Amino acid sequence: MIKSKEDLKEYLEADYIAIHRPSRRSPVWRYLVLLRKTEYYKNTENFIFGKIYSYLLQRYSLLTGISIHINSFGKGLGLFHYGSIVVNHTAKFGDWCVIQNGVNVAANVHGGGDLSCSRG
């Protein structure tokens, strides 16, 4: 859970490494940055920025087809494709997880770290 600027930086660095150092213009990278900043502002109870980033994340979710609720994944979330990724808000996973496109994670699913979710 991201509760400080240092945590935010650590999570973003781990995510950047997990998706193999993408272009800063990559839609997946932009989504992850919005997700992590939304987590930070919501967890630190900064209501104004929390609402702004929640709105931006929701809009970008529609554009990319990725729907991941905040605080569902630990650091090092690997997303390699956008489109058709849905994670229920009650799902919780550890660090260094990879999700491929075409994945739907149901309610109350819990997983540890070093996990890979793919279709099929």
Side-chain angles (χ1 to χ4, degrees):
M1 185 178 277
I2 302 173
K3 292 190 173 194
S4 67
K5 287 271 188 185
E6 293 79 24
D7 290 344
L8 176 62
K9 184 178 178 184
E10 181 181 344
Y11 273 63
L12 287 174
E13 286 174 359
D15 291 345
Y16 189 70
I17 291 167
I19 57 175
H20 305 295
R21 295 175 171 78
S23 162
R24 299 285 185 185
R25 303 180 96 190
S26 162
V28 172
W29 175 245
R30 288 182 177 185
Y31 181 85
L32 283 172
V33 169
L34 282 173
L35 176 68
R36 297 311 190 179
K37 286 187 176 182
T38 303
E39 288 177 5
Y40 168 70
Y41 288 119
K42 288 284 189 170
N43 293 341
T44 58
E45 298 180 359
N46 187 328
F47 296 110
I48 294 172
F49 282 112
K51 285 189 177 277
I52 291 169
Y53 275 94
S54 289
Y55 174 78
L56 293 173
L57 182 64
Q58 181 182 19
R59 299 294 294 171
Y60 212 69
S61 285
L62 294 173
L63 179 69
T64 60
I66 302 171
S67 179
I68 299 174
H69 197 270
I70 64 170
N71 298 322
S72 292
F73 287 89
K75 62 185 169 199
L77 176 58
L79 299 174
F80 296 101
H81 308 282
Y82 58 92
S84 190
I85 297 173
V86 179
V87 178
N88 188 284
H89 71 280
T90 60
K92 299 289 181 207
F93 295 92
D95 297 340
W96 302 102
C97 292
V98 175
I99 300 180
Q100 300 294 334
N101 65 337
V103 171
N104 292 320
V105 179
N108 298 317
V109 174
H110 298 273
D114 299 316
L115 183 72
S116 178
C117 298
S118 61
R119 253 187 320 194

